[in-house]
């Protein structure tokens, strides 16, 4: 499935967009994933994805084309409107702004698609934490298990050291 998505995107220019607003309800709901194919052949009634700059920020909007008109310079533009809106959009959408037309909608999958980078990051961090924990555990186990010979020698030398420190002249047997 991932290979198919990659081939369609990079070879044929398909776009995958998660819908975040309710402007296209009831046909397209927030959280739906829409698949857009590149097309410049737009007619009234088509649902298109277009780019528009508002306030210095570029937005990608998916709305229905309700009319095709020409401006004073003779250029064609589209009048768009969300299915769940009373009024048309206040801007003109020119053909060079259109990314493509709606191919199909996959309900609810957009939520997973939208949060996929976060999910993958969390999985990678969890995996790194588990690997780090296991490595530290292995290293500490190696330090705790020295051979029996040096442990006895260290214990004896420590006991002898303690005995020497505890001796006081004129007291005890030593």
């Amino acid at each position: 499935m991932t290979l198919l998505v990659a081939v369609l995107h990079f070879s044929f220019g398909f776009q995958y967009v998660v819908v975040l607003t309710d402007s296209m309800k009831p046909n397209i709901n927030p959280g739906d994933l829409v698949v857009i194919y590149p097309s410049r052949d737009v007619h009234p009634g088509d649902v298109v994805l277009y780019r528009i700059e508002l306030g210095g920020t570029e937005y990608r909007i998916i709305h229905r084309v309700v009319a095709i008109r020409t401006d004073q310079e003779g250029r064609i533009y589209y009048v768009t409107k969300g299915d769940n809106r009373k009024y048309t959009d206040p801007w003109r959408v020119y053909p060079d702004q259109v990314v493509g037309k709606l191919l199909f909608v996959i309900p609810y999958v957009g939520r997973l698609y939208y949060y996929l980078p976060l999910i993958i990051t969390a999985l990678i961090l969890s995996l790194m934490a588990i690997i780090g924990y296991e490595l530290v555990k292995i290293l500490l186990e190696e330090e705790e298990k020295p051979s029996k010979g040096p442990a006895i020698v260290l214990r004896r030398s420590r006991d002898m050291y303690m005995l020497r420190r505890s001796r006081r002249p004129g007291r005890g047997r030593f």
Side-chain angles (χ1 to χ4, degrees):
M1 183 67 166
T2 305
L3 182 62
L4 177 65
V5 168
V7 168
L8 289 175
H9 177 71
F10 292 110
S11 297
F12 299 107
F14 282 60
Q15 297 285 319
Y16 307 94
V17 179
V18 178
V19 177
L20 300 176
T21 68
D22 67 346
S23 69
M24 290 299 290
K25 269 184 155 184
N27 301 319
I28 304 171
N29 297 301
D32 290 351
L33 179 71
V34 294
V35 179
I36 305 294
Y37 68 98
S39 176
R40 300 282 182 199
D41 185 29
V42 178
H43 302 287
D46 290 343
V47 176
V48 295
L49 175 71
Y50 59 90
R51 289 188 168 105
I52 190 159
E53 188 171 320
L54 299 170
T57 304
E58 185 177 277
Y59 295 94
R60 296 189 319 169
I61 299 173
I62 186 162
H63 277 177
R64 189 174 304 278
V65 175
V66 293
I68 300 175
R69 298 191 180 141
T70 56
D71 62 10
Q72 297 84 0
E73 299 170 2
R75 296 187 313 165
I76 294 175
Y77 70 90
Y78 307 116
V79 178
T80 58
K81 176 182 169 295
D83 290 349
N84 193 24
R85 302 293 184 242
K86 292 181 182 179
Y87 304 104
T88 60
D89 296 331
W91 48 77
R92 297 176 176 177
V93 179
Y94 290 95
D96 61 335
Q97 293 174 285
V98 174
V99 175
K101 291 171 41 174
L102 176 69
L103 181 62
F104 59 88
V105 178
I106 306 172
Y108 308 110
V109 173
R111 291 181 183 143
L112 176 65
Y113 186 80
Y114 187 74
Y115 291 111
L116 194 60
L118 180 64
I119 293 168
I120 290 173
T121 302
L123 289 174
I124 289 172
L125 290 175
S126 298
L127 184 63
M128 289 173 55
I130 290 169
I131 290 171
Y133 173 77
E134 291 298 324
L135 285 173
V136 168
K137 187 176 165 183
I138 289 169
L139 291 173
L140 290 177
E141 283 178 359
E142 286 180 3
E143 287 182 12
E144 290 177 2
K145 294 182 180 179
S147 63
K148 290 186 177 184
I152 293 170
V153 170
L154 288 175
R155 181 177 285 164
R156 285 184 181 166
S157 66
R158 194 177 105 219
D159 290 342
M160 292 174 77
Y161 174 75
M162 295 301 284
L163 286 174
R164 273 194 233 133
R165 282 186 56 111
S166 66
R167 273 196 305 182
R168 292 187 190 158
R171 290 202 159 183
R173 297 173 135 183
F174 297 103

